[in-house]
Amino acid sequence: MKFLDQCKIYIRSGNGGGGAVSFRREKYIEYGGPDGGDGGRGGDVWIEAVDGLNTLIDYRYQQHFKAETGEHGMGRNRHGHAGADVVLKVPVGTQVLDEDKETLIADMDQAGQRLLLLKGGNGGWGNDRFKGPINQAPRHANPGQDGEERWIWLRLKLIADVGLVGLPNAGKSTFLAAVSAAKPKIADYPFTTLAPNLGVVDLSTNERFVIADIPGLIEGASEGAGLGTRFLGHVERTAVLIHLVDATQDDVGEAYRTIRQELAAYGEGLEDKREILALNKVDALDDETRAAKAAELTEAAGHAPALISGVSGEGVTEVLRAAWGQVRERRAEEKAAVEGPEPGWTP
């Protein structure tokens, strides 16, 4: 399935049905009077976050969504049927933006979350509503209200606990395949990964988290070089970033600085997010080269990296444990924010 993480769509709620002008005319019945029914209300436009979706591909082939118009009222005080609603089902983590692509309308970050985007127009009153002692035979009814319309942007930011960042060929996909059941494309050339991949890491029965692998960044990505930085949005919600640096390249310090500069240029708090630094592919180096590369990366980053290998599994468990500690801490903070402080004891 093709991955699609942003799209522009047109939505319109339904018009209300018009009220009816009708009079009761039956043989042998005097003073029948007005009996025009009301029009039905137009359909609403809703958006709902559902489990089981991880792309906006459904909105690639259909960009216009219109709710039904309410039916007109009829004689004998029969009201028109309300128009059917339109429900846009999107993956959890989808943001709804205004047409300017900057104004946030809603953030659908919880499964089952449902939001009314556009309300349908009310149905018009029939002439039965206007009868009275003065005007006993009204010959007018209200038209239905017009629906609303607008263009919106949908932007998906995947829900993941841990994000993988690094230069192309840093071994991110190999790492993801080693720690989860995900099967990303792996090859010995840059930009093998063209779309984000998700994997579930199971450390134990009660220790589980989601890890996201995004396409590699290169120098100038914030200005559009390579695949740009658009996929960084998928690691904005993570608790921690695992920064992988390829130990087999010439300048590991420059590789680290390049990624940090691109994170800072992107913004959105990524430069301040907690980071676990790992020197990857150390299985291809001898002990002396390992120590030299680690010292070089330590000087660039200001702290020592973990030495790991996604192929042999060396050091991987320790990195995952460190990541789980950050995820658990973030989850505890979110739970405390929702539940509030524990009530104090009172006699």
Side-chain angles (χ1 to χ4, degrees):
M1 179 181 291
K2 184 176 176 62
F3 183 83
L4 185 70
D5 63 350
Q6 61 181 12
C7 59
K8 185 179 183 181
I9 63 174
Y10 170 83
I11 55 176
R12 193 186 196 287
S13 59
N15 295 334
V21 176
S22 174
F23 294 91
R24 183 179 181 184
R25 294 183 178 91
E26 296 183 42
K27 194 173 183 180
Y28 306 122
I29 295 180
E30 293 185 284
Y31 311 116
D35 65 351
D38 300 338
R41 64 182 306 276
D44 301 328
V45 179
W46 296 81
I47 188 167
E48 181 180 1
V50 298
D51 284 327
L53 296 178
N54 56 11
T55 175
L56 296 172
I57 190 65
D58 294 338
Y59 300 97
R60 177 183 177 90
Y61 306 106
Q62 181 182 357
Q63 293 86 33
H64 293 75
F65 298 87
K66 300 177 182 180
E68 285 188 355
T69 298
E71 291 183 358
H72 297 312
M74 294 166 282
R76 299 184 182 178
N77 285 319
R78 289 175 294 173
H79 298 330
H81 193 279
D85 296 341
V86 166
V87 180
L88 307 175
K89 295 187 176 182
V90 296
V92 178
T94 301
Q95 290 184 329
V96 184
L97 305 173
D98 204 354
E99 190 176 2
D100 60 10
K101 212 175 179 180
E102 295 181 358
T103 305
L104 180 64
I105 299 173
D107 191 356
M108 314 298 289
D109 58 354
Q110 299 290 333
Q113 186 177 351
R114 188 178 172 100
L115 178 72
L116 177 64
L117 292 178
L118 296 179
K119 187 175 181 180
N122 289 327
W125 281 359
N127 67 336
D128 181 64
R129 295 270 193 171
F130 298 98
K131 67 183 179 182
I134 304 300
N135 187 4
Q136 298 181 11
R139 296 184 177 274
H140 70 277
N142 286 343
Q145 282 186 331
D146 290 336
E148 303 172 333
E149 61 181 351
R150 72 190 305 178
W151 285 89
I152 60 173
W153 281 90
L154 301 179
R155 183 185 180 190
L156 174 61
K157 293 184 178 180
L158 295 177
I159 301 294
D161 300 302
V162 178
L164 292 176
V165 296
L167 291 174
N169 262 14
K172 300 186 296 299
S173 296
T174 302
F175 183 89
L176 180 66
V179 303
S180 71
K183 300 184 184 303
K185 183 178 179 181
I186 300 173
D188 59 352
Y189 55 83
F191 295 112
T192 307
T193 301
L194 298 177
N197 295 301
L198 291 179
V200 178
V201 178
D202 281 307
L203 293 176
S204 69
T205 305
N206 298 320
E207 297 174 319
R208 171 181 291 185
F209 59 90
V210 178
I211 190 169
D213 167 31
I214 64 171
L217 302 173
I218 63 174
E219 185 175 359
S222 58
E223 300 173 357
L227 296 178
T229 58
R230 58 171 292 187
F231 292 116
L232 281 176
H234 298 292
V235 296
E236 285 183 23
R237 305 178 190 270
T238 58
V240 61
L241 298 177
I242 298 178
H243 185 166
L244 298 183
V245 178
D246 184 359
T248 62
Q249 63 187 4
D250 296 332
D251 193 342
V252 294
E254 181 59 27
Y256 172 80
R257 287 188 289 269
T258 297
I259 297 299
R260 294 304 304 177
Q261 289 169 3
E262 296 306 322
L263 293 179
Y266 177 81
E268 303 297 333
L270 286 186
E271 70 276 14
D272 300 322
K273 195 173 288 292
R274 297 167 181 173
E275 177 188 73
I276 298 174
L277 180 60
L279 189 62
N280 195 19
K281 304 183 184 180
V282 295
D283 60 302
L285 305 178
D286 55 37
D287 293 340
E288 183 179 351
T289 308
R290 276 191 188 196
K293 294 288 186 180
E296 183 181 347
L297 187 53
T298 300
E299 182 180 356
H303 57 90
L307 303 182
I308 70 168
S309 170
V311 174
S312 67
E314 177 185 349
V316 170
T317 301
E318 290 74 11
V319 168
L320 294 179
R321 284 286 173 190
W324 167 246
Q326 300 290 350
V327 172
R328 183 174 54 189
E329 183 179 336
R330 205 269 291 272
R331 289 179 181 176
E333 293 174 354
E334 292 177 347
K335 183 178 180 181
V338 172
E339 297 180 353
E342 295 184 2
W345 181 85
T346 55

